[in-house]
Amino acid sequence: MWTLAEKKLTSRLLLGTAQYPSLQVMRESIIASGSDIVTIALKRQITSRESDNGFWDTIKSLPCHVLPNTAGCRTAADAVTTAELAREIFETRWIKLEVIGDEYNLQPDPLELLRAASILVKKGFEVFPYCTDDLVLCQRLRDSGCRILMPGAAPIGSGRGIMNPYALETLRKRLPDITLIIDAGIGKPSHACQVMEMGFDAVLLNTAVSLAKHPAGMAEAFRCAVQAGRMAYEAGMIEARDFAYPSTPLIDTPFWHSEGVRE
């Protein structure tokens, strides 16, 4: 069990709801992941094969908290308006704040993001900002009232894994009291395990599961990876060394002769 924004959760894996081949596959994958939280974009595009009612009925049938997001927003004003609509529709003050500044790598606009976060915090939202791994930006977001930060490991949907481990390790070290959730760029279960070993509190992903050959199987693999990474972090891992160190100390006399030597 762990606590996120006053809610007791059993899973440290958050899952998105886009790009699945069908609603049934999405439902099976979310169940297999064990996730307590799913993200939903208010501006979500419904395909011709799906209906609004079918999607919402599927979401409501799951034992999950909904984390609406402002995906598709380009300005602070647009993000604030979207967040206020989401609060009314989903009846939650949680909002995953996305304010994209570049179309090529979908990197957040730091200025508009900080502006929107400051406004939403004052309006009573629990803001989950999708941000870069820049320490100064993250400190400013914290100072604005954000208790949860969601830095990306790599560009959204790229599956490249951790591109700047130094920056992420620095965030964890310098912001020990902030909940840090890796959001974006995770492609393999090993990537998720690695960031959990670094001490991050949770992982949010979508594409790595929804576009997998077998989404439900991949969701279960990520579930195990996140659990393993957290267990390793809590158990305390040994530090890497630049030299060999024998796991069994050497002595001059084999153990089966030790009694004779003592006599």
Side-chain angles (χ1 to χ4, degrees):
M1 295 290 293
W2 70 298
T3 302
L4 178 64
E6 283 76 53
K7 293 188 183 295
K8 296 290 185 180
L9 307 174
T10 59
S11 173
R12 291 177 181 269
L13 176 62
L14 290 67
L15 210 59
T17 56
Q19 304 182 90
Y20 289 90
S22 70
L23 292 176
Q24 180 61 27
V25 171
M26 179 188 76
R27 187 176 191 280
E28 292 172 352
S29 300
I30 293 171
I31 292 174
S33 74
S35 179
D36 298 311
I37 298 175
V38 294
T39 63
I40 299 174
L42 190 62
K43 296 184 176 183
R44 182 177 184 273
Q45 297 290 326
I46 303 298
T47 68
S48 59
R49 295 177 300 168
E50 300 175 344
S51 68
D52 290 320
N53 290 336
F55 177 78
W56 297 123
D57 288 344
T58 300
I59 294 299
K60 291 176 182 178
S61 71
L62 296 165
C64 298
H65 301 289
V66 172
L67 174 61
N69 68 57
T70 64
C73 293
R74 298 293 186 270
T75 67
D78 191 14
V80 170
T81 299
T82 302
E84 290 176 327
L85 289 172
R87 178 162 61 180
E88 181 176 346
I89 292 172
F90 298 109
E91 299 181 342
T92 178
R93 66 187 190 91
W94 284 13
I95 191 70
K96 179 174 181 278
L97 180 60
E98 297 184 28
V99 186
I100 300 302
D102 183 84
E103 292 294 336
Y104 178 73
N105 63 6
L106 298 179
Q107 180 172 310
D109 182 324
L111 301 180
E112 293 295 298
L113 179 69
L114 182 57
R115 185 175 296 114
S118 300
I119 294 171
L120 291 172
V121 167
K122 292 176 181 177
K123 288 178 174 287
F125 283 88
E126 185 71 66
V127 182
F128 295 60
Y130 164 57
C131 56
T132 64
D133 56 17
D134 182 84
L135 175 60
V136 175
L137 172 60
C138 289
Q139 289 173 326
R140 296 293 182 269
L141 288 167
R142 175 202 59 191
D143 295 343
S144 75
C146 295
R147 303 186 298 168
I148 301 158
L149 301 178
M150 307 183 75
I156 294 175
S158 68
R160 297 178 65 89
I162 303 175
M163 296 185 64
N164 193 342
Y166 170 77
L168 294 180
E169 289 170 350
T170 300
L171 286 182
R172 180 69 288 175
K173 182 178 180 180
R174 296 294 304 277
L175 301 172
D177 299 324
I178 294 293
T179 297
L180 294 177
I181 301 174
I182 288 295
D183 176 18
I186 297 296
K188 303 175 183 178
S190 57
H191 297 160
C193 185
Q194 186 179 358
V195 296
M196 294 304 293
E197 289 175 346
M198 294 165 67
F200 282 80
D201 297 284
V203 172
L204 188 153
L205 54 89
N206 189 152
T207 307
V209 168
S210 64
L211 297 187
K213 185 176 181 179
H214 301 293
M218 186 61 72
E220 185 173 4
F222 272 105
R223 176 182 186 171
C224 295
V226 168
Q227 291 175 341
R230 183 65 187 185
M231 290 175 65
Y233 173 73
E234 293 178 341
M237 296 166 289
I238 65 170
E239 294 184 3
R241 297 170 174 149
D242 294 327
F243 52 87
Y245 189 87
S247 57
T248 302
L250 299 178
I251 57 176
D252 293 334
T253 306
F255 70 89
W256 58 84
H257 292 306
S258 60
E259 290 186 2
V261 171
R262 285 199 297 271
E263 293 176 356

